[in-house]
Amino acid sequence: MSGAARLLPGPIGVVLFLALWQIYCATSGISPLLLPTPLQVLRAFVEVMGEAPTWNHLSYTLGETLAGFGIALVVGVVLGWLIASSLLLERAVHPFVVASQIVPKVALVPLFVLWFGFGPTSKVVVSAVIAFFPIMTNTLLGLRSVDPGHDDVFQALRATRWQRFWQLQLPSAMPAILAGMEMAVVLATIGAVVGEYLGGSDGLGYFAVATMNAFQTDRLFAIIMLLTLMGFILYLAIAALRRVILPWQRKAVGE
Amino acid sequence: MSVAVACQGIGKSYASRSGIVEALAPVDLTIGAGEFIVLIGPSGCGKTTLLRILGGLLAPSAGTLGLKPGADGRQNIGFVFQAANLLPWLSVEENVALPLKLKHEGRAKRLTRARELCAQVGLAGFERSWPRELSGGMQQRGAIARALADDPALLLMDEPFGALDALTRTRLNQELERLWLARGATVVLVTHSISEAVMLADRIVLMSPRPGRIQAVVKVPFPRPRDPALEGTVEFQAIASELRARLGETS
Ligand SMILES: Nc1ncnc2c1ncn2[C@@H]1O[C@H](COP(=O)(O)OP(=O)(O)OP(=O)(O)O)[C@@H](O)[C@H]1O
Ligand SMILES: [Mg+2]
């Protein structure tokens, strides 16, 4: 496939989708309170972005997301490493790990609001709890997937436990950890927004609920767009980080 | 400078799904400091197993292993595995420098040494490449360079030249002999090539099919450094055909 042939289907698909949406709104006579047209959404987006409170809400949500993600990253990697290095610990925490995977974590949000109040803390906690899981499991998986041949090399060289961790286990686990981080950053965003839905008076989640209550559906769509954009940019940041940390994984030129 | 090795009744059994597999029958072998030993025997006879026991990567199920360090107290091991085992996240030169890094050698010093070794094994120009950008034989040469980086007192090599063409193989055989003569490590090398065995060894240890035991030990008397032309001589061929006959008896 030539470059153009590979790149075009994406934009064409989006344009086609927007066109169908516009036509549907125009012909079905659906109320803009239920479904605004793409053009109305775009107008609302420009309007919303021009208002100062939007940026306050955005920075609030972004702050919570990053804090939750940061906590999830540290706790997830450390716990994954602890579990990977002790079979006993793995047996002990396994039931909790499985349970925490099964519990619909969103259902715990009211509990966190109860414990940590309506301020940012409860949202950071929700965000961290939801994002933590893929990081921990991927760290565990990655640390366990050390190539036995590489292990032989370190053993023959009489490497210390510490050297083995930093120079063998961690680099071996890095691709898996980064894949976990990609998932986690999206989940952290969801966690923060869901937390804001249920309590408090700040953040894009709160802003969305308030807008909905005011029946400003076009503005609600605009906020959803903004949230999507934020999540997407965070995801791209992790993808860029992957390219910096794992240059050896980059595809050969011409591939 | 080098390590003397004494194996007494070293045996190894693996527990596997099909029951207990005796890989290595009790082996007695004494290797002098600075000696060049070549292990040869049919596939599956326990050569890798014995090498791993010598390198401390595998505990024997029976017997005792004695390693006596040389006068300078060094007993570090260089191990070339049957697979290259280069770390994919390090460049070729960083892979070669790994033993020095683990010894906390300074970066400039260890990279200088690594580049020197890369040139010796014919990897000049590929120092900055990732291992996956190298062919199988080139990766194997990288692994050889890595094993030599910290000037090992005991060098264990598991079919190090198996993936190489005949010309490169001959050249690296010579290079290895030269390095060994200069540094004087104790070497145990596994090969399937009879002529490589005769070209390199002080003594050739012949192993029988599984469970591996030492079937014969053949001394190779030629003076060093040995010229590749040696292979054409009657004396060389006499030893080679003796080995061939003995290997044929068993397999
Ligand atoms: N981890 C293991 N578990 C069970 N059996 C094993 C294991 N490793 C090796 N063996 C068995 O021990 C025997 C000796 O294996 P080893 O790898 O030492 O042979 P080798 O002489 O190096 O063979 P080759 O020349 O093919 O490399 C083989 O028959 C093999 O089936
Ligand atoms: Mg083998």
Side-chain angles (χ1 to χ4, degrees), chain B residues 2-211:
Chain B
S2 51
V3 165
V5 182
C7 303
Q8 277 179 356
I10 293 235
K12 180 70 193 179
S13 302
Y14 290 105
S16 72
R17 249 197 311 199
S18 46
I20 289 179
V21 180
E22 191 183 15
L24 207 58
V27 164
D28 293 308
L29 180 64
T30 319
I31 303 172
E35 202 176 4
F36 200 127
I37 295 287
V38 171
L39 273 181
I40 196 164
S43 177
C45 73
K47 303 181 294 295
T48 297
T49 303
L50 180 56
L51 219 55
R52 290 176 67 84
I53 292 174
L54 294 181
L57 301 184
L58 192 66
S61 345
T64 52
L65 169 70
L67 296 185
K68 196 161 116 318
D72 57 1
R74 285 163 66 84
Q75 49 180 329
N76 60 329
I77 290 170
F79 209 130
V80 182
F81 298 91
Q82 224 165 329
N85 291 338
L86 296 180
L87 306 176
W89 55 87
L90 296 182
S91 67
V92 171
E93 62 184 8
E94 287 171 315
N95 262 290
V96 173
L98 181 72
L100 300 172
K101 188 173 184 203
L102 294 181
K103 266 184 56 182
H104 308 289
E105 196 75 75
R107 183 176 166 80
K109 204 169 159 196
R110 63 177 193 253
L111 287 185
T112 309
R113 172 89 179 117
R115 285 178 200 139
E116 211 176 278
L117 279 160
C118 282
Q120 275 171 354
V121 297
L123 286 178
F126 292 94
E127 294 91 346
R128 297 289 179 85
S129 303
W130 300 114
R132 65 172 163 75
E133 295 168 336
L134 266 50
S135 74
M138 290 162 84
Q139 291 186 23
Q140 194 59 15
R141 282 181 271 156
I144 294 167
R146 175 176 62 191
L148 295 171
D150 187 29
D151 207 358
L154 176 60
L155 182 58
L156 305 169
M157 307 176 95
D158 201 346
E159 299 184 37
F161 309 123
L164 302 178
D165 65 282
L167 266 175
T168 312
R169 195 170 179 145
T170 308
R171 201 178 63 69
L172 282 180
N173 280 178
Q174 271 185 289
E175 192 72 23
L176 177 62
E177 187 192 44
R178 198 181 62 72
L179 281 168
W180 171 72
L181 285 174
R183 299 295 184 166
T186 306
V187 181
V188 183
L189 180 144
V190 172
T191 182
H192 284 292
S193 157
I194 289 176
S195 59
E196 184 170 274
V198 182
M199 189 57 82
L200 288 174
D202 288 331
R203 284 190 298 157
I204 299 171
V205 175
L206 240 91
M207 290 178 66
S208 68
R210 207 187 57 184

Side-chain angles (χ1 to χ4, degrees), chain A residues 10 12 58 63 92 96 101 107 111 127-128 136 143 152 172 183 187 214:
Chain A
I12 288 179
L58 175 63
F96 294 97
Q101 197 174 14
L111 200 60
S127 173
M136 187 201 66
L143 291 175
D152 283 345
S172 299
M183 282 185 264
L187 291 176

